[in-house]
Amino acid sequence: MAIAVAVATAATGLAGTAFAGPTTGEARSVASVTDAGAVVTAARTAAFAHASATGVSTGDELQAQDVMLDPEGARHVRFERTHNGLPVLGGDLVVHLDHQLAYTGVTRAAGQAVKPAAAAKAKLTAGQAAAKAAQAAKGEAGTAQLVVDARDGASALAYQVTVTDQDGTNTVVVDAVTGKVRSNTPDSDQFLSPKLVKSLQKSGVTATPATGDARAAALGRAGAPTGAKTSYPSAASGTGKTLYVGSVGLTTTQTSRGHYQLADPSRYGTEVRDAKGGKTENFNSGTKFTTTTNVWGNGATSNRASAAADAQYGITKTLDFYKKTFGRKGIADNGKAAHGLVHWGSKVANAFWDPTCTCMLYGDGDGQTFKKPLVVLDVTGHELTHGVVDATAKLEPTYVDADGNQYGEPGALNESLADIFGSNVEFYANNKQDTPDYLIGEKLGLAQKFLRRLDHPSLDKLEGTIDYWTPDTYYTEVHAGSGVSSHAYYLLAEGSGKKTINGVAYDSPTYDKSTVKGIGRTKATAIFYRALTRYMVSTTDFHDARVATLQAAKDLYGANSTEYKTVNQAWAAVDVTAANAPAAKH
């Protein structure tokens, strides 16, 4: 199994701005990537040596998914677990080591033993489980695989089944003893919840998205200079005439003299293709965008390449943000291409991150509420961040209703992180046609002028987004529940009260009427990224996220720093405190 190795540098601030390193402790050199095997071995050994803390037991095996080497000397290894050869759902953990590879702690998803009862034996056959899964998800079931379901405090023998229908795939987990469907979860992450899409369509709302300046002056000369000797394929400088951000430069591939393809060789071969109305989850089945002019689109939907130009621009800007800010090489930090399929499906009013094809899927809108493709910059940044979460903490909804709406704090935290980093992609791109802001979906043309916002989430009346945590947050749809941690992030970055940034007025309230002074977007984002990659797991809820961001702030700036204290204040300002943490996790 390939293991991603992330080596953080001391300069991972936003847009090239370095953030302050740890304020305490001696400086230590980063171990070379070649010692990753030693780090994994030490972490695995420590996990079994500290079994009472890590929860591993006889019969468990740990498979390393990620190795992270921090400049201050800490090492972190993210593991997935099997028990007696069976994959353990909710059994993931991160083992933390110091610079001498000594155990310092663990972040674990399951708080209980993951070993099923000794008497637990499958009463259903794989075929029976597949049939139940197909019935639950209303599609065609693949092969049922025996697993241990350790989610939600359980330790049950179960079958996991992938079910495919015309809209995509679901992962269904069926109890191997009782036959009960334990979960039925869509594999793709949708920008708009089914509940919201249905509500907008029912109310007859028509979104009127603001578009970019389509008067596209050429951005430099396309292709290779005249007379130059060129070997093919080679990188070329093209122009995208987009729907939303005007004329933009795109690096493309010159396949032969006078022929170009919308694929970026400077970014791992990242490419956008045309699904042509199909609902394929196979990127290779999409049609390549090619041209003889190296100009893509015309700024209007009359040209199919216009949406592709938006998508390619958004995907490459997201990749650049993650690489230049955190040194992350690709969505999964493995140096591989990011892909997108535009014109996906017929009258689809949504956009998705699809882990099945590890690509973006963009609908063209339903022709009623949304009349243009959903290829807006922060939509792309949001959805690709779901890919980053899939490659790291794998935050999952706790339960899903019959209509596909998702609930539970880990899922809400996933949506929040997608909004946080999607907003940061806008700030990184700094495109005058899409002013950087803390609003999400402001270019979609909704009457309330945005879909969600980070400073005062409850101003989003469409989704009923919440500002503060309560015990009922567990029962809140994930997009609505995302407001809790998004609000905490904004308070950490910009502080409470009134503020105008790039011409946008903000006024962020606090639960406890406190005044929070922000530490700046650069530091706030560095803290949340480190928390995600080092200290979050599949079951992380808002109180866990508070602990994770405090630990990240301690790593970066010290336990006595203003940054650490402000993280604590920001969470308290959304009513997430050590004192009100639930006694038991859902």
Side-chain angles (χ1 to χ4, degrees):
M1 177 180 294
I3 301 172
V5 180
V7 182
T9 67
T12 56
L14 299 183
T17 304
F19 67 75
T23 57
T24 59
E26 63 182 73
R28 305 186 183 101
S29 62
V30 178
S32 67
V33 173
T34 56
D35 76 347
V39 176
V40 170
T41 298
R44 184 180 287 114
T45 300
F48 284 94
H50 298 270
S52 61
T54 62
V56 299
S57 61
T58 302
D60 284 353
E61 291 187 7
L62 301 178
Q63 294 81 36
Q65 304 298 305
D66 203 358
V67 181
M68 293 151 283
L69 313 175
D70 294 341
E72 67 273 16
R75 285 93 169 91
H76 317 265
V77 182
R78 186 178 295 277
F79 290 108
E80 290 187 353
R81 181 183 344 199
T82 61
H83 181 75
N84 291 336
L86 302 181
V88 178
L89 309 182
D92 50 305
L93 64 155
V94 183
V95 176
H96 311 294
L97 308 171
D98 67 13
H99 69 294
Q100 295 179 329
L101 303 187
Y103 173 82
T104 59
V106 65
T107 305
R108 53 190 279 199
Q112 77 288 349
V114 301
K115 183 178 179 180
K121 293 183 179 179
K123 293 184 179 179
L124 272 70
T125 66
Q128 289 171 328
K132 282 185 175 289
Q135 183 179 18
K138 298 179 176 60
E140 182 177 345
T143 302
Q145 178 187 20
L146 271 175
V147 298
V148 178
D149 187 358
R151 301 171 299 169
D152 204 20
S155 187
L157 189 65
Y159 286 101
Q160 182 173 262
V161 189
T162 297
V163 179
T164 304
D165 66 11
Q166 62 179 357
D167 295 321
T169 62
N170 279 32
T171 296
V172 182
V173 178
V174 179
D175 195 293
V177 178
T178 67
K180 176 184 176 182
V181 174
R182 301 181 64 84
S183 63
N184 177 9
T185 308
D187 291 326
S188 61
D189 291 285
Q190 305 177 41
F191 186 68
L192 303 171
S193 69
K195 182 187 298 184
L196 178 60
V197 171
K198 186 179 294 185
S199 174
L200 291 171
Q201 291 173 340
K202 185 176 181 180
S203 63
V205 170
T206 299
T208 53
T211 56
D213 181 4
R215 296 171 298 170
L219 301 179
R221 301 177 70 180
T226 302
K229 292 184 178 179
T230 304
S231 58
Y232 304 110
S234 62
S237 298
T239 300
K241 296 186 178 182
T242 71
L243 298 174
Y244 295 104
V245 289
S247 295
V248 295
L250 296 173
T251 300
T252 61
T253 299
Q254 187 170 10
T255 54
S256 63
R257 184 173 180 83
H259 294 87
Y260 305 90
Q261 182 179 337
L262 190 57
D264 189 338
S266 68
R267 295 174 177 86
Y268 326 113
T270 287
E271 182 181 2
V272 171
R273 293 186 180 181
D274 191 344
K276 291 196 169 180
K279 287 190 173 181
T280 178
E281 292 183 272
N282 180 356
F283 175 75
N284 290 327
S285 68
T287 300
K288 297 177 182 180
F289 280 98
T290 60
T291 184
T292 58
T293 64
N294 211 2
V295 176
W296 309 89
N298 62 359
T301 56
S302 58
N303 188 314
R304 298 183 73 82
S306 298
D310 276 286
Q312 184 79 352
Y313 174 78
I315 292 172
T316 54
K317 287 299 180 184
T318 302
L319 291 174
D320 288 354
F321 161 72
Y322 276 106
K323 184 177 181 180
K324 294 184 179 180
T325 306
F326 305 117
R328 190 174 188 87
K329 298 178 181 178
I331 298 305
D333 199 20
N334 57 3
K336 292 186 177 181
H339 292 141
L341 286 167
V342 292
H343 309 302
W344 188 84
S346 175
K347 296 186 177 180
V348 175
N350 222 326
F352 313 82
W353 164 256
D354 188 340
T356 302
C357 70
T358 60
C359 62
M360 283 291 305
L361 308 176
Y362 298 92
D364 281 339
D366 56 4
Q368 299 174 5
T369 300
F370 297 102
K371 296 187 177 182
K372 290 188 177 180
L374 281 78
V375 288
V376 178
L377 177 60
D378 60 6
V379 172
T380 295
H382 171 106
E383 291 301 324
L384 286 177
T385 296
H386 281 311
V388 174
V389 174
D390 281 348
T392 53
K394 294 182 173 65
L395 293 160
E396 296 181 348
T398 311
Y399 67 99
V400 182
D401 69 18
D403 294 321
N405 296 293
Q406 303 180 16
Y407 299 83
E409 291 187 23
L413 180 60
N414 192 343
E415 290 299 332
S416 170
L417 292 167
D419 280 353
I420 289 166
F421 291 109
S423 172
N424 271 279
V425 169
E426 269 192 9
F427 278 100
Y428 174 82
N430 198 26
N431 187 299
K432 292 181 180 179
Q433 298 291 343
D434 193 350
T435 305
D437 52 43
Y438 292 102
L439 311 177
I440 304 300
E442 74 279 3
K443 295 281 283 186
L444 294 177
L446 296 165
Q448 69 177 19
K449 307 300 183 185
F450 53 86
L451 179 60
R452 290 182 295 277
R453 59 188 299 153
L454 308 188
D455 67 315
H456 195 165
S458 65
L459 293 179
D460 165 25
K461 305 303 181 183
L462 290 173
E463 294 178 303
T465 305
I466 58 177
D467 291 327
Y468 311 117
W469 180 85
T470 72
D472 287 340
T473 301
Y474 172 77
Y475 304 102
T476 304
E477 192 275 329
V478 293
H479 296 84
S482 70
V484 175
S485 46
S486 293
H487 192 188
Y489 167 83
Y490 177 88
L491 289 166
L492 178 63
E494 301 291 352
S496 58
K498 295 182 178 180
K499 195 169 193 176
T500 299
I501 305 169
N502 291 340
V504 179
Y506 303 96
D507 189 359
S508 192
T510 59
Y511 175 83
D512 54 2
K513 310 303 180 187
S514 63
T515 298
V516 179
K517 183 179 180 180
I519 62 172
R521 183 174 50 84
T522 296
K523 292 181 178 180
T525 305
I527 288 169
F528 268 69
Y529 180 79
R530 178 170 286 224
L532 166 65
T533 54
R534 273 69 169 168
Y535 301 110
M536 292 184 186
V537 289
S538 60
T539 59
T540 297
D541 61 19
F542 290 131
H543 284 82
D544 296 331
R546 170 186 173 273
V547 173
T549 50
L550 282 169
Q551 182 61 53
K554 180 181 177 182
D555 290 349
L556 295 172
Y557 309 110
N560 295 317
S561 65
T562 296
E563 292 83 0
Y564 181 92
K565 295 173 183 176
T566 307
V567 169
N568 197 43
Q569 292 169 0
W571 283 109
V574 297
D575 201 28
V576 175
T577 67
N580 68 8
K585 294 172 71 72
H586 283 286

